[in-house]
Structure formats: C-alpha cells, structure tokens
C-alpha cells in the first residue's frame, strides 16, 4: 500500500439544524484510509454512517473538521469544486440503486460520463469491469426490467465508469436477498482486488462487513473501535 | 446524451407532453388565425374594391374608407362629376348595412357594367326586375342559395337571378333605385366611382376635384386598395397585440404547470443527476431544453392547425370570413410560444437546480 492515504479525516463534526433542534450527527470522527483499501463501516441506524459518506462524497458540507480526499481539503472547496469531486474522484452506490427509470442500463452508465464532461465511450479497461459485473448482456434494458441485483450492479458500473479513486457504497445490499447480496459483495471484493479499487462500504450486517480488509464501527457520531 | 434524456423525459409522460403541445398549439393557432382573418378580410375587401374597375372614388364628407355610412351623398353628384375634364364615367352606388359585417350594395346595373366590364356569372344572369338580386359564389355556397331562390333582406323579398364570381364590388348586389326606395334614401348615394379618360393624370384630377369639392374625401383606387391593411383599421393592431399577450400568457401557464409538475415528479431523478456531479447549470439546461422542445413542437402544431382552421372557414363560412396564411407570422408565433414557455420554466427550473441532492434522493 502506498504511503499517501487517500482519505484523511480528523475531528469531523456535522450538526444538522432540524427546526429549533440541533442534531449532532458526527461528533469528532477520525479516519484514515489507504489507497486500495476495502473498508467496511458498521454501526446502528442513526449513528452517522451515511452522513460521513455524504461528506466524503462531496454531497454535503461538514460543520467543522478536516477532510482530505485524494489530497484535496473538502472544507476549502467551492460548490463547483465539490461538484467536480462527485464527477470523477468518488463514485457513489446507494441502497436504492438510484438509476434513472427512463434510461436504459447503458444510458444510465454513459450519462455519468456526459455529466463529467468525458467522451461518452468508456475507456477500454471498463469493458473488463462490465464483464466482472456480469451485466454486459443486460445493457439495453430499462431498470424496471432488471432484478434488484442487476440494478445494483448497473449502479456499481455507473459509479466506476469515470474511474474514480474511491467507491463509496452506502448499504449496497440493503435491498437485496441473501443470494444477490453475496454476489454484490463478492463483486466489490473482486473489483478491489483486481483493479485495486478503493472501496468504502456501509453495512449493518457483520457478515457483510467481513468482506472488507478492515471494519470500523460507528456509534453516536464517533468511530468507536477499529478491527483489523 | 442530454438530448436523449430530455426526449426520454418527454416520452415518459406522453399524455402530458401531448397536452402541453396541443395547448401551446391552440394558442399559436388562435394567433395565426386571427391575424390571417384580419388580413384575409381586408384583402377580400381590397380585392372587391379593386375589381370594380374604377380609377377614383369619392366619398361623403366626414367619412373614412372604412366607415359604413348609408347614403348621405346627393345622387346629382354623379352628373356633376361626369362633366369634369378627364372623367369618362361616374357611377353612384348605395351601400346599406344589413347586420354584422354584411352589406347590400345597390348599383345602376347598366352604368356599372360599363364601368367594370360586367359581372362574371357562375350561373343565372343579370337582374330582370328591380326585385332581383345577385349573390356572389361564396355567399351562395355558405347559404346554399340557388337561382330562383327568394332572399328576405331589409324586410323585402328578393329573387336570386344570378350567382356572380367573387371579387367584384360586393357579395350582394341589387338595383340601386329599389334599394334607395326601401331604405328611404331616394336620390341619395353612398359613394361615386369614377373612370377616367385614357391618359389622364389621376393625381392631378384628384387635386382639381378636391379644389372644387372641398371636404370630400377623394381617393385613387390604388390608395383605396392599399388602405385595406391592418394598421389602418382602428383598434385592430391593439386587438392583435392583446391576442399575442394572451397567447404568451397561456403558453406561460401551460409550460409552468407542466414543468412544475415535471420537476416535482422528477425530484429524485434530479437528485441522482446531482449525486453524479451534475451542476445546477446542467440541471437548468436540461429543464430549459425540455420546455424549448415542448414549445417548438407546440408552435409547429399551431401552424399546422392554422391550415386546418383556414380549411374549415373556407368550407363552412367562405362569405363571412376569409383567412389567409401568414407565413411571416409563423416565426412570431413560435417566438411568443417560446418566450411564454421560457418564462414559465424559470421558476421550476430554478427549483430543480437548487435542490439539495441528499434531500432530493430521499424524496419518495
Ligand atoms: N437532513 C437531516 N436533518 C436532520 N437530521 C438528520 C438529517 N439527516 C440525518 N439526520 C440525523 O443525523 C443522524 C445520523 O444520520 P445518518 O447519517 O443517516 O445515520 P446512519 O446512516 O448511520 O443511519 C440521525 O440522528 C439522523 O436522524
Ligand atoms: Mg444510513
């Protein structure tokens, strides 16, 4: 593993203002992730896992703390720069797949390239990613014609099509049955091993967590323990 | 790819897109039909005036070319005019309004034929008695009139003796004497047509006549024909502007509603695009492109519809209304639709662009 960490977080705090009430979602998170790592995050619902990922993915601004993604300090980025981070530096996979229902699987993937201002045609190596994901033959179908597992694999392909440095997956198997969960988890591991793709995954299933190299647990807005 | 998304969005809700297009089409069509009607009616009037074969027209003092006066001129005026140098023929005419924009015109048949070269008969022939009437082909078609039919106009029964080609003088032509009697205008006429001797300088003649007859509006036929234009009809311009305004407003409301619901419905999709790194500008562009497409399709539909209204008018009421095609207004119609649409999109598009991606993604 290279010496320069791809993610460095220290004393990260996030306070949501919900009406008159302040919700302390993150209360001082410290986290370091190396390039090529496969980190899983577990923890009870409401412990701040998604909030952490949204900040790492440039979808949301932290309240305070230091967040460095691939050498960039998130706190100092403008809105436009955070948008750019989403385009190429990180790829996001959600529990609910979040595919555009009106576009085919292929179009759902290429639109990520269009948005990033890249040529519509993915790089040659991406073919291999599609093979690993096993969806090459389903590319012309609309999401509703695909199974949940297939939709999630299309979503993973979309997250990877711009060759991001980091793949963030927020409960990617949360909507899948055991069989499809196993397929998706194995795929994430294979992508990590074969392409040295850095992967961060949230799950609340300890068995799923064991697919990573390393697991951290979140509780009450803090990372409470770290197992190797 | 963005265009594909825009089209996919429109295709995804075909009924809503179609309704939007039709609604915009109807207002654009309304605009084109109105302008086409204004022009068509005026052109028809100009054509009929021009078809008379006169060189100069004299009207009663205090009237304009477009006012429908009954018959304030003394009939003896024709006798005076025909004695003037350069004037070969002077033929009086009585025009009497019979409700709406319809009029009935009385002429001395023999003199008028000499002036105009006579009517072209589609069927039947000249009046045989003072109670005969000539109707033009459009009027006959619209009212399904045949030779020998009886028409009751101004409380009088007229017998149709001839159906004449349209484009000369008027749609309903009767004997001037009888019309004067019936309307209590004995010895009075509405206007006088003059035919000049060959080679006469018409402007000079008009100048001379004006000197002798101060206060009388006297026009060359060219002036009369060119006078029948939208700008010269009081209020017509303003009326058309009001219609344009209403069209733009309706276009605005249609697109506003359509895009507002589209944006709400697509909150989640917009969140997805943003999570992939779509900037607010890109979201704005997608929404704007969609409404531009919607309004251009609507404008095209409106132009197509204006052909349909023209056909319907020609088939059903050719005598009352004439609609011409106004290709020079197609672009104006499209621009009005576009402006309305863009204004209607601004707020929904701004809403879409400024949505928070996380909130949008959790929207059900
Ligand atoms: N937009 C928001 N406004 C207010 N509170 C929020 C918002 N999003 C999350 N929270 C709160 O922040 C805490 C952490 O939420 P989250 O990061 O979603 O946790 P997890 O993903 O671990 O379930 C929870 O208490 C949640 O209710
Ligand atoms: Mg969560």
């Amino acid at each position: 593993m290279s010496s320069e960490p791809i993610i460095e977080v220290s004393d990260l705090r996030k306070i949501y203002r919900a009406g008159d009430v302040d919700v302390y979602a993150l209360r001082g998170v410290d986290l370091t992730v190396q390039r090529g790592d496969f980190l899983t995050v577990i923890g009870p619902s409401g412990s701040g896992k998604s909030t952490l990922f949204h900040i790492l993915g440039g979808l949301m601004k932290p309240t305070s703390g230091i967040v460095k993604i691939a050498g960039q300090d998130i706190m100092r980025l403008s809105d436009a720069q955070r948008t750019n981070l989403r385009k190429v530096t990180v790829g996001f996979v959600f529990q609910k797949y979040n595919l555009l229902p009106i576009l085919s699987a292929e179009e759902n993937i290429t639109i990520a390239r269009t948005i990033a201002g890249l040529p519509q045609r993915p790089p040659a190596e991406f073919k291999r990613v599609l093979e690993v994901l096993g969806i090459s033959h389903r590319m012309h179908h609309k999401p509703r014609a695909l199974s949940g597992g297939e939709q999630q694999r299309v979503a993973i392909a979309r997250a990877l099509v711009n060759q991001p440095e980091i793949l963030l997956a927020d409960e990617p198997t949360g909507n899948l049955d055991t069989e499809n969960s196993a397929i998706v988890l194995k795929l994430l591991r294979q992508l990590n091993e074969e392409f040295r793709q850095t992967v961060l995954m949230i799950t609340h299933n300890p068995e799923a967590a064991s697919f990573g190299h390393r697991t951290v647990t979140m509780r009450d807005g803090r990372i409470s323990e770290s197992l190797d | 790819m963005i265009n594909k998304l825009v089209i996919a969005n429109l295709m995804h809700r075909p009924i809503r897109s179609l309704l939007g297009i039709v609604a915009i089409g109807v207002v654009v069509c309304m605009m084109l039909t109105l302008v086409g009607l204004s022009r068509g009616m005026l052109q028809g009037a100009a054509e009929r005036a021009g078809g008379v074969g006169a060189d100069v027209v004299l009207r009663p003092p205090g009237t304009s070319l477009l006012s429908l006066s009954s018959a304030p001129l003394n009939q003896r005026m024709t006798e005076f005019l025909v004695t003037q140098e350069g004037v070969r023929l002077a033929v009086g005419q009585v025009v009497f309004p019979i409700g709406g924009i319809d009029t009935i015109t009385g002429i001395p048949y023999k003199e008028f034929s000499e002036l105009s070269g006579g009517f072209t008969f589609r069927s039947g022939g000249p009046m045989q008695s003072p109670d005969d009437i000539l109707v033009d082909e459009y009027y006959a078609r619209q009212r399904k009139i045949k030779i020998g039919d009886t028409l009751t106009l101004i409380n009088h029964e007229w017998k149709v003796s001839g159906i004449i080609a349209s484009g000369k003088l008027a749609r309903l032509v009767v004997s001037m004497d009888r019309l004067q009697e019936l309307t209590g205008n004995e010895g009075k006429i509405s206007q006088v047509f003059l035919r000049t001797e060959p080679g006469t300088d018409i402007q000079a003649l008009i100048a001379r006549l004006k000197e002798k007859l101060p206060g009388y509006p006297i026009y060359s036929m060219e002036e009369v024909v060119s006078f029948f234009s939208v700008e010269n009809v009081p209020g017509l311009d303003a009326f058309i502007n009001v219609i344009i305004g209403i069209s733009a407003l309706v276009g605005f409301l249609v697109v506003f509603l359509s895009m507002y619901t589209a944006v709400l419905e697509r909150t989640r999709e917009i969140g997805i695009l943003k999570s992939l790194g779509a900037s607010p500008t890109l979201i704005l562009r997608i929404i704007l492109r969609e409404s531009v497409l919607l309004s251009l399709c609507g404008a095209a539909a409106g132009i197509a519809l204006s052909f349909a209204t023209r056909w319907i008018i020609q088939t059903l009421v050719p005598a009352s209304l004439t609609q011409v095609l106004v290709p020079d207004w197609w672009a104006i119609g499209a621009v009005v639709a576009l402006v309305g649409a863009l204004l209607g999109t601004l707020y929904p598009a701004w809403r879409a662009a400024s949505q928070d991606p996380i909130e949008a993604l959790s929207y059900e």
Side-chain angles (χ1 to χ4, degrees):
Chain A
M1 266 174 214
S2 63
S3 49
E4 167 86 342
I6 186 123
I7 299 174
E8 280 182 278
V9 175
S10 73
D11 197 25
L12 177 63
R13 289 166 194 276
K14 174 70 187 184
I15 303 169
Y16 290 111
R17 305 229 62 169
D20 288 338
V21 194
D22 285 351
V23 180
Y24 291 79
L26 299 179
R27 302 163 180 254
V29 170
D30 300 304
L31 180 68
T32 307
V33 181
Q34 302 296 334
R35 236 174 251 278
D37 219 348
F38 186 167
L39 177 85
T40 52
V41 181
I42 59 171
S45 173
S47 58
K49 306 181 296 295
S50 294
T51 303
L52 173 64
F53 270 39
H54 292 155
I55 292 171
L56 294 178
L59 284 165
M60 184 188 282
K61 270 188 170 166
T63 307
S64 70
I66 296 172
V67 182
K68 277 192 173 170
I69 307 280
Q72 301 181 79
D73 185 349
I74 287 257
M75 280 301 250
R76 293 167 181 241
L77 296 184
S78 64
D79 282 356
Q81 285 167 323
R82 276 196 301 124
T83 302
N84 262 323
L85 187 82
R86 300 206 287 268
K87 285 181 190 168
V88 287
T89 312
V90 296
F92 231 107
V93 176
F94 303 89
Q95 179 177 352
K96 288 180 180 165
Y97 327 133
N98 283 342
L99 298 175
L100 293 168
I102 51 174
L103 298 182
S104 69
E106 183 174 28
E107 292 164 340
N108 262 288
I109 295 168
T110 46
I111 198 154
R113 290 192 66 77
T114 308
I115 288 172
L118 296 168
Q120 205 160 312
R121 217 188 166 75
E125 309 89 85
F126 188 68
K127 253 221 167 103
R128 175 73 193 129
V129 175
L130 288 181
E131 273 167 30
V132 170
L133 290 169
I135 45 170
S136 310
H137 62 296
R138 307 290 276 160
M139 295 306 271
H140 297 294
H141 289 80
K142 293 268 167 67
R144 75 176 124 70
L146 302 174
S147 73
E150 285 171 328
Q151 289 190 54
Q152 195 58 300
R153 282 180 274 156
V154 171
I156 295 171
R158 178 182 63 185
L160 293 177
V161 71
N162 294 335
Q163 302 177 297
E165 311 221 38
I166 305 161
L167 180 68
L168 297 172
D170 187 347
E171 301 201 39
T173 60
N175 275 9
L176 298 178
D177 57 28
T178 325
E179 193 189 334
N180 275 301
S181 296
I183 293 175
V184 165
L185 291 168
K186 276 186 199 145
L187 281 171
L188 289 175
R189 188 157 65 190
Q190 193 179 346
L191 291 167
N192 169 255
E193 284 168 358
E194 190 174 334
F195 304 98
R196 286 202 74 226
Q197 177 68 53
T198 309
V199 179
L200 277 72
M201 179 178 79
I202 295 174
T203 177
H204 45 228
N205 179 349
E207 203 181 316
S210 68
F211 274 79
H213 302 146
R214 187 161 75 98
T215 301
V216 296
T217 304
M218 280 199 79
R219 188 158 286 136
D220 295 332
R222 287 192 190 91
I223 286 181
S224 65
E225 67 193 273
S226 191
L227 327 160
D228 272 288
Chain B
M1 192 65 213
I2 294 301
N3 286 333
K4 216 174 202 171
L5 181 66
V6 167
I7 289 166
N9 274 330
L10 284 172
M11 303 291 273
H12 185 62
R13 286 263 177 270
I15 302 286
R16 186 185 51 213
S17 304
L18 212 66
L19 278 180
I21 289 171
V22 167
I24 295 173
V26 166
V27 289
V28 169
C29 168
M30 177 170 95
M31 225 169 96
L32 296 180
T33 301
L34 249 143
V35 175
L37 277 176
S38 325
R39 273 205 207 152
M41 311 277 289
L42 289 165
Q43 268 175 28
E47 197 181 298
R48 284 192 295 278
V52 165
D55 302 313
V56 175
V57 180
L58 178 136
R59 307 259 312 161
T63 64
S64 89
L65 268 174
L66 288 162
S67 48
L68 271 181
S69 51
S70 48
L73 277 179
N74 191 317
Q75 195 169 344
R76 306 280 288 277
M77 182 64 87
T78 54
E79 291 159 28
F80 163 76
L81 286 167
V82 81
T83 61
Q84 298 303 302
E85 193 197 330
V87 176
R88 188 158 108 194
L89 282 170
V91 181
Q93 177 202 13
V94 175
V95 181
F96 194 78
I98 53 168
I101 49 171
D102 287 344
T103 58
I104 185 168
T105 301
I107 49 159
Y109 191 82
K110 218 172 110 269
E111 286 91 333
F112 184 80
S113 296
E114 211 181 324
L115 175 80
S116 66
F119 292 107
T120 309
F121 286 93
R122 293 286 183 238
S123 63
M127 307 123 170
Q128 304 297 324
S129 89
D131 296 317
D132 281 357
I133 187 168
L134 305 179
V135 303
D136 92 336
E137 49 192 330
Y138 290 150
Y139 194 90
R141 199 201 309 163
Q142 185 176 328
R143 311 261 164 137
K144 302 190 171 53
I145 291 167
K146 299 180 307 293
I147 302 298
D149 283 358
T150 306
L151 287 186
T152 306
L153 297 167
I154 337 174
N155 293 324
H156 187 73
E157 295 200 338
W158 307 88
K159 200 167 131 272
V160 176
S161 75
I163 292 173
I164 53 176
S166 176
K168 189 169 280 184
L169 184 69
R171 298 206 190 278
L172 295 171
V173 179
V174 296
S175 138
M176 187 165 87
D177 292 342
R178 179 53 48 99
L179 189 59
Q180 284 171 328
E181 251 172 61
L182 284 170
T183 60
N185 280 311
E186 284 92 343
K188 298 267 179 59
I189 51 178
S190 306
Q191 58 184 8
V192 184
F193 291 124
L194 302 183
R195 159 69 69 73
T196 56
E197 298 286 358
T200 307
D201 179 342
I202 290 175
Q203 288 312 319
L205 171 68
I206 290 174
R208 262 181 291 153
L209 290 176
K210 279 190 170 165
E211 209 165 286
K212 288 186 187 160
L213 298 167
Y216 282 79
I218 304 171
Y219 306 98
S220 72
M221 212 43 155
E222 270 166 35
E223 280 176 286
V224 172
V225 169
S226 64
F227 189 83
F228 287 107
S229 74
V230 173
E231 300 81 67
N232 287 326
V233 183
L236 192 54
D237 250 357
F239 181 61
I240 289 175
N241 285 337
V242 167
I243 295 298
I244 293 173
I246 292 173
S247 306
L249 187 72
V250 173
F252 164 83
L253 288 175
V254 166
V255 172
F256 178 82
L257 263 178
S258 171
M259 296 313 288
Y260 188 78
T261 52
V263 165
L264 269 185
E265 197 185 274
R266 277 186 228 142
T267 302
R268 207 179 156 77
E269 276 86 338
I270 292 161
I272 294 172
L273 293 173
K274 290 195 133 187
S275 76
L276 294 173
S279 61
T281 331
L282 180 60
I283 304 290
L284 211 70
R285 261 174 36 215
I286 292 173
I287 306 281
L288 284 182
R289 228 179 263 196
E290 185 172 333
S291 75
V292 165
L293 199 62
L294 204 66
S295 59
L296 288 184
C297 289
I303 292 167
L305 276 174
S306 73
F307 280 84
T309 56
R310 190 173 89 115
W311 181 83
I312 290 169
I313 284 170
Q314 252 170 7
T315 309
L316 296 182
V317 286
S320 317
L321 300 173
T322 314
Q323 181 191 346
V324 292
L325 295 173
V326 284
D328 52 322
W329 271 75
W330 291 352
I332 300 175
V335 167
V336 169
L338 205 61
V339 168
L342 287 180
L343 288 176
T345 315
L346 281 184
Y347 176 67
W350 171 80
R351 258 187 82 118
S354 56
Q355 256 165 28
D356 178 70
I358 302 293
E359 265 171 46
L361 282 174
S362 57
Y363 184 89
E364 292 303 319

